[in-house]
Amino acid sequence: MSYRAPVQDYEFLFRNVVGFDLVAGTERFDEASPDMVSAILTEAGKMCEEVMAPLQRNGDLHPARLENGVLRTSPGFADGWTAIAEGGWIGMSGNPEYGGMGLPMTLTTSVNEMMSAACLSLQLAPLMSQGQIEALDHHASDAIKELYLPKLISGEWAGTMNLTEPQAGSDVGALSSKAERNSDGTYAVAGQKIFISWGDNDFAENVCHLVLARLPDGAPGTKGISLFLVPKRIPDENGNAGVANSLKVVSLEHKMGLHGSPTCVMQYDGATGWLVGNEHGGMAAMFTMMNNARLGVGGQGVGAAEGAYQHALAYAMERKQGKTPSGTIIDHADVRRMLTTMKADLFAARAIMLACAVAIDMQTATGDAEWGARAALLTPIAKAFGTDVGIEIAQTGVQVHGGMGFIEETGAAQYYRDVRVTAIYEGTNGIQAMDLVARKMMDGGDAAARLLDEIEAHAEDARGAFPEMAEAVWQATESLREATEWLVSQSDMNDRFAGAVPYLRAFARVLGGHYHLAAALADRGGAREKLARYYISRLLPEHAGLLIQAQAGSADLYALNADELSA
Ligand SMILES: Cc1cc2nc3c(=O)[nH]c(=O)nc-3n(C[C@H](O)[C@H](O)[C@H](O)COP(=O)(O)OP(=O)(O)OC[C@H]3O[C@@H](n4cnc5c(N)ncnc54)[C@H](O)[C@@H]3O)c2cc1C
């Protein structure tokens, strides 16, 4: 499918909205000049347009398959992987000591979004490797880093993450995979994992699995879990992929979408593994990978939204139906409503995603705990709002196509089917919202309050230029502040959890208003000001209804008993 990389949109956001100049101003990232950023985005965009976008339909029509235990990927995916690897796009933010480019996460996040828009099912493969690279860099021994990181960064080897088991999905602590200590310092890992993305492929020499399992003396629950690196082929004395390890792909799932990405049931039969991090400290190590993947999955939603939007817009500009000035459906008011809403939400979700990446970069560059808290606060919002918006925009894209949206040949339906899972994996969006109102509010709401202070100060500054828009953003922020204070004052966590999803969305709505206002200030009288006006007058008001739900408590959710629910 055709795709145009939105390079100028990123450049505008970097320059005017998300404060990338702060990142480029640090010693750590001082090479990220505007020219360098532009060159990287342009080069990555070209690869996405020319190599990855043409593969999108292949993955859907010719899913990955298992033939006599050998995994065969969709036609062209091996070449796509080679192009991604050779372009250096896997290890963009990887440690330069091991061959990475050491670039800011803000850039990696933008490139990942473009790759997701071009071919979501293939992009999931480098995303898994990137998370593993970061987890190993932070938690593995030097020997493991020296052996594995150069190969993962170059794309010779690929990475996966193995958490889920049939009885242990959202509740990771319920896992039953086991590990035993071997006499040579390695471990024997046994158990079954399900839903493992890219659990195997036919393009990398080795596939390295990060597997959560419990040692015999591991406590029940998440506290007793350890993390192991379990390669498909055990490295020989020269560090090359050697003999086969005791693991296999048992079967592939038949899915609603994302057909090009093999989703595997994995069996480990005493497979040789190496400990990553401390014994029983696996969750801390895995969280490095999961946080990386959460922002990455939010970016998948944004990418799918961009692809679906471009697709719908192109159709609306060609489809003739009814009497309109241009003769095409783009001049019907309701089609305008759909397209403008798509564009405005796409901007908001992308800005939130990039602001989260900027906070991560600032934490990396400065070590400042406040930036760390900002990144932690924004991660569940970027994941859940990015993917919700991806699904909504892909769904609206089908609607813009009318009947042709329901017909597979147009490709509109594929965006919707492919992106749907992003709200489910990497922690469902419900779990993200609970993380926001519980773990991310353990500071009594301080990190949230600091962000709301900044938004209000910015709105104050904007009053002269745009009094109405500034007032709307300021008022919405005040309402969000009140709701935040209400939430943190609830001692019964279920009252917080009951309102978590609407609260997260209201938070995202306010952030979206803030970033749209910044865009309007940078483009007075231009298209970005017009889009900001649309968002702030039509979409931002949604926060009010959401915040009522956020503060409603849990009693009415339990008012109907199970019998009454099924009556
Ligand atoms: C295509 C695909 C690819 C995947 N890739 C990977 C992978 O590479 N590696 C991997 O390890 N896993 C992977 N997963 C698994 C994925 O992360 C899980 O499906 C997800 O975490 C949800 O777990 P579950 O399916 O068991 O659902 P459940 O945990 O059974 O959840 C069902 C519903 O209950 C809700 N729920 C559950 N617990 C709570 C709670 N405490 N409070 C409130 N609501 C709750 C959920 O939000 C959800 O709506 C993949 C899944 C799919 C479909």
Side-chain angles (χ1 to χ4, degrees), residues 335-477:
V335 175
R336 283 298 176 106
R337 177 191 61 79
M338 289 191 275
L339 290 170
T340 316
T341 300
M342 291 162 96
K343 193 172 173 65
D345 266 347
L346 176 52
F347 175 90
R350 181 177 285 144
I352 292 169
M353 167 190 85
L354 291 177
C356 181
V358 163
I360 292 170
D361 287 331
M362 291 306 292
Q363 180 197 13
T364 306
T366 66
D368 184 334
E370 283 198 13
W371 280 114
R374 174 71 54 88
L377 180 75
L378 289 177
T379 298
I381 304 176
K383 194 278 179 180
F385 189 65
T387 55
D388 281 346
V389 158
I391 292 165
E392 289 162 21
I393 290 183
Q395 198 264 101
T396 310
V398 171
Q399 193 70 14
V400 170
H401 282 75
M404 288 309 289
F406 203 65
I407 307 302
E408 289 289 356
E409 280 94 308
T410 60
Q414 188 189 342
Y415 285 112
Y416 181 58
R417 289 186 289 101
D418 283 359
V419 75
R420 185 61 187 85
V421 72
T422 60
I424 297 169
Y425 62 30
E426 214 29 72
T428 64
N429 284 1
I431 297 288
Q432 301 299 324
M434 289 164 66
D435 177 47
L436 177 66
V437 301
R439 194 194 297 239
K440 304 301 164 60
M441 298 281 167
M442 270 162 51
D443 61 355
D446 285 354
R450 278 196 298 275
L451 180 53
L452 301 186
D453 289 345
E454 276 178 36
I455 296 175
E456 286 185 1
H458 181 262
E460 288 295 351
D461 290 346
R463 280 188 194 278
F466 302 122
E468 287 167 10
M469 284 201 283
E471 173 65 9
V473 171
W474 194 92
Q475 284 295 347
T477 313

Side-chain angles (χ1 to χ4, degrees), residues 128 161-164 168-171 194-197 255 258 263 421 424-428 430-431 434:
M128 293 293 98
M161 57 194 287
N162 287 236
L163 291 82
T164 307
S170 302
D171 185 9
I194 61 166
F195 293 156
I196 304 309
S197 296
K255 309 192 294 292
L258 215 66
T263 305
V421 72
I424 297 169
Y425 62 30
E426 214 29 72
T428 64
I431 297 288
M434 289 164 66

Side-chain angles (χ1 to χ4, degrees), residues 98-109:
Y98 303 107
M101 289 198 250
L103 290 167
M105 268 309 284
T106 316
L107 269 175
T108 297
T109 302

Side-chain angles (χ1 to χ4, degrees), residues 49-127:
E49 290 170 355
E50 295 174 3
V51 180
M52 290 186 74
L55 300 175
Q56 165 106 322
R57 287 296 279 160
N58 285 5
D60 199 43
L61 296 173
H62 310 287
R65 60 191 200 287
L66 202 57
E67 271 179 14
N68 303 321
V70 178
L71 198 131
R72 310 274 181 214
T73 56
S74 304
F77 272 37
D79 293 338
W81 173 266
T82 304
I84 295 166
E86 287 180 352
W89 308 121
I90 300 171
M92 283 182 72
S93 291
N95 188 340
E97 224 179 292
Y98 303 107
M101 289 198 250
L103 290 167
M105 268 309 284
T106 316
L107 269 175
T108 297
T109 302
S110 307
V111 172
N112 283 351
E113 190 223 288
M114 289 194 277
M115 291 201 281
S116 309
C119 185
L120 191 63
S121 56
L122 176 56
Q123 186 268 345
L124 189 52
L127 187 68

Side-chain angles (χ1 to χ4, degrees), residues 11-284:
E11 288 175 341
F12 178 85
L13 277 153
F14 281 19
R15 210 170 36 243
N16 303 301
V17 179
V18 297
F20 184 73
D21 51 334
L22 287 176
V23 176
T26 62
E27 204 181 321
R28 167 77 183 252
F29 296 121
D30 62 359
E31 285 176 9
S33 65
D35 283 351
M36 193 224 213
V37 166
S38 179
I40 286 175
L41 293 175
T42 304
E43 194 57 31
K46 208 162 138 237
M47 190 277 295
C48 292
E49 290 170 355
E50 295 174 3
V51 180
M52 290 186 74
L55 300 175
Q56 165 106 322
R57 287 296 279 160
N58 285 5
D60 199 43
L61 296 173
H62 310 287
R65 60 191 200 287
L66 202 57
E67 271 179 14
N68 303 321
V70 178
L71 198 131
R72 310 274 181 214
T73 56
S74 304
F77 272 37
D79 293 338
W81 173 266
T82 304
I84 295 166
E86 287 180 352
W89 308 121
I90 300 171
M92 283 182 72
S93 291
N95 188 340
E97 224 179 292
Y98 303 107
M101 289 198 250
L103 290 167
M105 268 309 284
T106 316
L107 269 175
T108 297
T109 302
S110 307
V111 172
N112 283 351
E113 190 223 288
M114 289 194 277
M115 291 201 281
S116 309
C119 185
L120 191 63
S121 56
L122 176 56
Q123 186 268 345
L124 189 52
L127 187 68
M128 293 293 98
S129 286
Q130 285 172 355
Q132 185 167 121
I133 289 164
E134 196 177 327
L136 293 183
D137 198 15
H138 280 86
H139 302 284
S141 66
D142 287 344
I144 288 183
K145 285 195 223 179
E146 275 155 30
L147 173 57
Y148 285 85
L149 284 179
K151 292 187 189 296
L152 287 164
I153 285 173
S154 67
E156 283 169 80
W157 294 3
T160 73
M161 57 194 287
N162 287 236
L163 291 82
T164 307
E165 298 177 11
Q167 79 295 349
S170 302
D171 185 9
V172 179
L175 63 76
S176 62
S177 288
K178 294 189 172 19
E180 304 269 353
R181 297 175 184 94
N182 293 329
S183 54
D184 62 357
T186 63
Y187 294 78
V189 177
Q192 191 174 79
K193 296 286 178 180
I194 61 166
F195 293 156
I196 304 309
S197 296
W198 286 102
D200 199 3
N201 67 63
D202 54 5
F203 44 67
E205 286 170 12
N206 209 353
V207 183
C208 308
H209 305 286
L210 273 181
V211 184
L212 286 179
R214 201 181 307 276
L215 285 159
D217 52 348
T222 47
K223 289 202 174 79
I225 297 177
S226 305
L227 181 64
F228 301 93
L229 179 60
V230 187
K232 173 180 162 185
R233 295 189 173 281
I234 297 174
D236 63 20
E237 65 277 10
N238 300 316
N240 297 317
V243 296
N245 206 347
S246 308
L247 62 93
K248 63 178 181 215
V249 177
V250 178
S251 60
L252 302 186
E253 303 294 350
H254 296 277
K255 309 192 294 292
M256 170 181 176
L258 215 66
H259 294 153
S261 163
T263 305
C264 306
V265 176
M266 304 290 305
Q267 182 70 36
Y268 296 87
D269 296 313
T272 304
W274 283 262
L275 183 72
V276 175
N278 298 323
E279 285 189 352
H280 317 308
M283 282 312 288

